PDB file of all heavy atoms in Angstrom:
ATOM      1  N   PHE I  17     -53.869 207.570 107.047  1.00  0.00           N
ATOM      2  CA  PHE I  17     -53.195 208.851 107.024  1.00  0.00           C
ATOM      3  C   PHE I  17     -53.656 209.589 105.802  1.00  0.00           C
ATOM      4  O   PHE I  17     -52.860 210.150 105.080  1.00  0.00           O
ATOM      5  CB  PHE I  17     -51.729 208.657 106.922  1.00  0.00           C
ATOM      6  CG  PHE I  17     -51.164 207.876 108.025  1.00  0.00           C
ATOM      7  CD1 PHE I  17     -51.993 207.323 108.961  1.00  0.00           C
ATOM      8  CD2 PHE I  17     -49.833 207.692 108.133  1.00  0.00           C
ATOM      9  CE1 PHE I  17     -51.485 206.625 109.990  1.00  0.00           C
ATOM     10  CE2 PHE I  17     -49.321 206.992 109.143  1.00  0.00           C
ATOM     11  CZ  PHE I  17     -50.135 206.447 110.083  1.00  0.00           C
ATOM     12  N   ILE I  23     -56.608 209.618 105.860  1.00  0.00           N
ATOM     13  CA  ILE I  23     -55.164 209.491 105.991  1.00  0.00           C
ATOM     14  C   ILE I  23     -54.569 210.808 106.402  1.00  0.00           C
ATOM     15  O   ILE I  23     -54.329 211.647 105.583  1.00  0.00           O
ATOM     16  CB  ILE I  23     -54.532 209.059 104.681  1.00  0.00           C
ATOM     17  CG1 ILE I  23     -55.038 207.698 104.295  1.00  0.00           C
ATOM     18  CG2 ILE I  23     -53.055 209.082 104.777  1.00  0.00           C
ATOM     19  CD1 ILE I  23     -54.402 207.145 103.082  1.00  0.00           C
ATOM     20  N   ARG I  24     -54.349 211.009 107.657  1.00  0.00           N
ATOM     21  CA  ARG I  24     -53.614 212.178 108.124  1.00  0.00           C
ATOM     22  C   ARG I  24     -53.580 212.369 109.627  1.00  0.00           C
ATOM     23  O   ARG I  24     -53.863 213.460 110.067  1.00  0.00           O
ATOM     24  CB  ARG I  24     -54.223 213.454 107.580  1.00  0.00           C
ATOM     25  CG  ARG I  24     -53.664 213.853 106.277  1.00  0.00           C
ATOM     26  CD  ARG I  24     -54.097 215.275 106.031  1.00  0.00           C
ATOM     27  NE  ARG I  24     -53.773 215.675 104.736  1.00  0.00           N
ATOM     28  CZ  ARG I  24     -54.129 216.811 104.187  1.00  0.00           C
ATOM     29  NH1 ARG I  24     -54.840 217.643 104.861  1.00  0.00           N
ATOM     30  NH2 ARG I  24     -53.782 217.098 102.991  1.00  0.00           N
ATOM     31  N   ASP I  25     -53.208 211.522 110.456  1.00  0.00           N
ATOM     32  CA  ASP I  25     -53.078 211.887 111.859  1.00  0.00           C
ATOM     33  C   ASP I  25     -52.157 210.958 112.598  1.00  0.00           C
ATOM     34  O   ASP I  25     -52.198 209.778 112.401  1.00  0.00           O
ATOM     35  CB  ASP I  25     -54.445 211.882 112.520  1.00  0.00           C
ATOM     36  CG  ASP I  25     -54.649 213.068 113.424  1.00  0.00           C
ATOM     37  OD1 ASP I  25     -54.033 214.102 113.178  1.00  0.00           O
ATOM     38  OD2 ASP I  25     -55.411 212.953 114.356  1.00  0.00           O
ATOM     39  N   PHE I  26     -51.359 211.501 113.518  1.00  0.00           N
ATOM     40  CA  PHE I  26     -50.465 210.723 114.342  1.00  0.00           C
ATOM     41  C   PHE I  26     -50.473 211.215 115.785  1.00  0.00           C
ATOM     42  O   PHE I  26     -50.936 212.271 116.054  1.00  0.00           O
ATOM     43  CB  PHE I  26     -49.046 210.804 113.804  1.00  0.00           C
ATOM     44  CG  PHE I  26     -48.841 210.015 112.560  1.00  0.00           C
ATOM     45  CD1 PHE I  26     -48.202 210.588 111.492  1.00  0.00           C
ATOM     46  CD2 PHE I  26     -49.261 208.714 112.470  1.00  0.00           C
ATOM     47  CE1 PHE I  26     -47.997 209.873 110.360  1.00  0.00           C
ATOM     48  CE2 PHE I  26     -49.050 207.991 111.355  1.00  0.00           C
ATOM     49  CZ  PHE I  26     -48.421 208.577 110.287  1.00  0.00           C
ATOM     50  N   CYS I  27     -49.893 210.454 116.696  1.00  0.00           N
ATOM     51  CA  CYS I  27     -50.078 210.780 118.089  1.00  0.00           C
ATOM     52  C   CYS I  27     -48.891 210.476 118.976  1.00  0.00           C
ATOM     53  O   CYS I  27     -48.213 209.496 118.800  1.00  0.00           O
ATOM     54  CB  CYS I  27     -51.282 209.985 118.507  1.00  0.00           C
ATOM     55  SG  CYS I  27     -51.869 210.305 120.114  1.00  0.00           S
ATOM     56  N   TYR I  76     -60.046 213.110 111.157  1.00  0.00           N
ATOM     57  CA  TYR I  76     -59.003 212.903 112.157  1.00  0.00           C
ATOM     58  C   TYR I  76     -58.433 214.230 112.592  1.00  0.00           C
ATOM     59  O   TYR I  76     -58.602 215.252 111.947  1.00  0.00           O
ATOM     60  CB  TYR I  76     -57.872 211.999 111.655  1.00  0.00           C
ATOM     61  CG  TYR I  76     -57.205 212.452 110.401  1.00  0.00           C
ATOM     62  CD1 TYR I  76     -56.227 213.433 110.416  1.00  0.00           C
ATOM     63  CD2 TYR I  76     -57.539 211.899 109.171  1.00  0.00           C
ATOM     64  CE1 TYR I  76     -55.620 213.850 109.253  1.00  0.00           C
ATOM     65  CE2 TYR I  76     -56.928 212.307 108.015  1.00  0.00           C
ATOM     66  CZ  TYR I  76     -55.973 213.298 108.064  1.00  0.00           C
ATOM     67  OH  TYR I  76     -55.372 213.723 106.909  1.00  0.00           O
ATOM     68  N   ARG I  77     -57.728 214.195 113.706  1.00  0.00           N
ATOM     69  CA  ARG I  77     -56.955 215.337 114.190  1.00  0.00           C
ATOM     70  C   ARG I  77     -55.517 214.920 114.059  1.00  0.00           C
ATOM     71  O   ARG I  77     -55.140 213.809 114.478  1.00  0.00           O
ATOM     72  CB  ARG I  77     -57.299 215.674 115.609  1.00  0.00           C
ATOM     73  CG  ARG I  77     -56.529 216.861 116.102  1.00  0.00           C
ATOM     74  CD  ARG I  77     -57.312 217.620 117.176  1.00  0.00           C
ATOM     75  NE  ARG I  77     -56.812 218.977 117.308  1.00  0.00           N
ATOM     76  CZ  ARG I  77     -57.220 220.029 116.598  1.00  0.00           C
ATOM     77  NH1 ARG I  77     -58.168 219.902 115.707  1.00  0.00           N
ATOM     78  NH2 ARG I  77     -56.701 221.212 116.795  1.00  0.00           N
ATOM     79  N   ALA I  78     -54.682 215.776 113.478  1.00  0.00           N
ATOM     80  CA  ALA I  78     -53.257 215.467 113.279  1.00  0.00           C
ATOM     81  C   ALA I  78     -52.418 216.268 114.270  1.00  0.00           C
ATOM     82  O   ALA I  78     -52.741 217.415 114.593  1.00  0.00           O
ATOM     83  CB  ALA I  78     -52.860 215.847 111.851  1.00  0.00           C
ATOM     84  N   THR I  96     -48.937 212.105 114.286  1.00  0.00           N
ATOM     85  CA  THR I  96     -49.971 211.209 114.787  1.00  0.00           C
ATOM     86  C   THR I  96     -51.308 211.631 114.228  1.00  0.00           C
ATOM     87  O   THR I  96     -51.656 212.820 114.272  1.00  0.00           O
ATOM     88  CB  THR I  96     -50.007 211.225 116.323  1.00  0.00           C
ATOM     89  OG1 THR I  96     -48.794 210.696 116.808  1.00  0.00           O
ATOM     90  CG2 THR I  96     -51.171 210.382 116.861  1.00  0.00           C
ATOM     91  N   LEU I  97     -52.071 210.671 113.754  1.00  0.00           N
ATOM     92  CA  LEU I  97     -53.432 210.911 113.280  1.00  0.00           C
ATOM     93  C   LEU I  97     -54.372 210.214 114.268  1.00  0.00           C
ATOM     94  O   LEU I  97     -54.276 209.005 114.460  1.00  0.00           O
ATOM     95  CB  LEU I  97     -53.638 210.364 111.877  1.00  0.00           C
ATOM     96  CG  LEU I  97     -52.706 210.902 110.794  1.00  0.00           C
ATOM     97  CD1 LEU I  97     -53.003 210.246 109.456  1.00  0.00           C
ATOM     98  CD2 LEU I  97     -52.782 212.405 110.693  1.00  0.00           C
ATOM     99  N   ALA I  98     -55.226 211.006 114.905  1.00  0.00           N
ATOM    100  CA  ALA I  98     -56.215 210.475 115.834  1.00  0.00           C
ATOM    101  C   ALA I  98     -57.554 210.460 115.088  1.00  0.00           C
ATOM    102  O   ALA I  98     -58.170 211.502 114.882  1.00  0.00           O
ATOM    103  CB  ALA I  98     -56.275 211.366 117.082  1.00  0.00           C
ATOM    104  N   TYR I  99     -57.985 209.278 114.711  1.00  0.00           N
ATOM    105  CA  TYR I  99     -59.154 209.131 113.842  1.00  0.00           C
ATOM    106  C   TYR I  99     -60.464 209.349 114.603  1.00  0.00           C
ATOM    107  O   TYR I  99     -60.592 209.006 115.769  1.00  0.00           O
ATOM    108  CB  TYR I  99     -59.146 207.756 113.171  1.00  0.00           C
ATOM    109  CG  TYR I  99     -58.129 207.689 112.069  1.00  0.00           C
ATOM    110  CD1 TYR I  99     -56.830 207.269 112.343  1.00  0.00           C
ATOM    111  CD2 TYR I  99     -58.446 208.091 110.787  1.00  0.00           C
ATOM    112  CE1 TYR I  99     -55.873 207.245 111.326  1.00  0.00           C
ATOM    113  CE2 TYR I  99     -57.499 208.053 109.785  1.00  0.00           C
ATOM    114  CZ  TYR I  99     -56.224 207.648 110.069  1.00  0.00           C
ATOM    115  OH  TYR I  99     -55.273 207.634 109.075  1.00  0.00           O
ATOM    116  N   SER I 146     -59.087 205.436 117.167  1.00  0.00           N
ATOM    117  CA  SER I 146     -57.802 204.835 116.730  1.00  0.00           C
ATOM    118  C   SER I 146     -56.762 205.927 116.502  1.00  0.00           C
ATOM    119  O   SER I 146     -57.097 207.023 116.059  1.00  0.00           O
ATOM    120  CB  SER I 146     -57.985 204.066 115.417  1.00  0.00           C
ATOM    121  OG  SER I 146     -58.840 202.958 115.572  1.00  0.00           O
ATOM    122  N   GLU I 147     -55.532 205.597 116.787  1.00  0.00           N
ATOM    123  CA  GLU I 147     -54.424 206.501 116.524  1.00  0.00           C
ATOM    124  C   GLU I 147     -53.365 205.756 115.722  1.00  0.00           C
ATOM    125  O   GLU I 147     -53.050 204.601 116.032  1.00  0.00           O
ATOM    126  CB  GLU I 147     -53.776 206.995 117.837  1.00  0.00           C
ATOM    127  CG  GLU I 147     -54.706 207.786 118.700  1.00  0.00           C
ATOM    128  CD  GLU I 147     -54.135 208.071 120.084  1.00  0.00           C
ATOM    129  OE1 GLU I 147     -52.958 207.728 120.351  1.00  0.00           O
ATOM    130  OE2 GLU I 147     -54.884 208.610 120.906  1.00  0.00           O
ATOM    131  N   LEU I 148     -52.834 206.414 114.730  1.00  0.00           N
ATOM    132  CA  LEU I 148     -51.691 205.883 113.988  1.00  0.00           C
ATOM    133  C   LEU I 148     -50.601 206.936 114.011  1.00  0.00           C
ATOM    134  O   LEU I 148     -50.858 208.116 113.748  1.00  0.00           O
ATOM    135  CB  LEU I 148     -52.072 205.561 112.553  1.00  0.00           C
ATOM    136  CG  LEU I 148     -53.084 204.461 112.334  1.00  0.00           C
ATOM    137  CD1 LEU I 148     -53.401 204.290 110.847  1.00  0.00           C
ATOM    138  CD2 LEU I 148     -52.613 203.132 112.940  1.00  0.00           C
TER     139      LEU I 148
END
Side-chain angles (χ1 to χ4, degrees):
F17 302 4
I23 296 184
R24 271 194 189 173
D25 223 28
F26 287 132
C27 186
Y76 57 81
R77 181 151 200 87
T96 295
L97 303 179
Y99 286 90
S146 295
E147 297 171 6
L148 296 178

